[in-house]
Amino acid sequence: MRSENRWETTLLRAGAFRLDGGSMFGVIPRSIWSKWSVPDDNNRIRLDCNCALLRDGDHTVLIEAG
């Protein structure tokens, strides 16, 4: 009989960076995307780097989404 493992999930904040908002949203006009992500004076928006750390007692898995 196989027992079910419970996974503990932890969100790891790995920093932030800024990229050009127009490049990130492509053909969506700035008037629309700037409501979701407010750009700085150089038209850059903040993007966060997050990872998920999963543990079940026997295994540890780090998920980095790129």
Side-chain angles (χ1 to χ4, degrees):
M1 180 175 209
R2 185 175 154 198
S3 65
E4 294 294 322
N5 292 337
R6 291 185 177 241
W7 289 87
E8 173 189 327
T9 305
T10 305
L11 178 65
L12 302 175
R13 301 203 184 275
F17 61 99
R18 294 188 172 273
L19 288 178
D20 181 74
S23 296
M24 294 304 300
F25 290 101
V27 298
I28 301 172
R30 178 182 171 148
S31 60
I32 294 174
W33 63 255
S34 64
K35 295 174 187 175
W36 304 316
S37 297
V38 179
D40 65 10
D41 292 338
N42 293 320
N43 203 42
R44 297 174 302 176
I45 59 171
R46 178 187 165 111
L47 298 168
D48 293 319
C49 299
N50 297 317
C51 301
L53 181 64
L54 308 174
R55 294 183 182 142
D56 74 348
D58 296 327
H59 304 93
T60 300
V61 178
L62 178 65
I63 299 172
E64 192 278 318

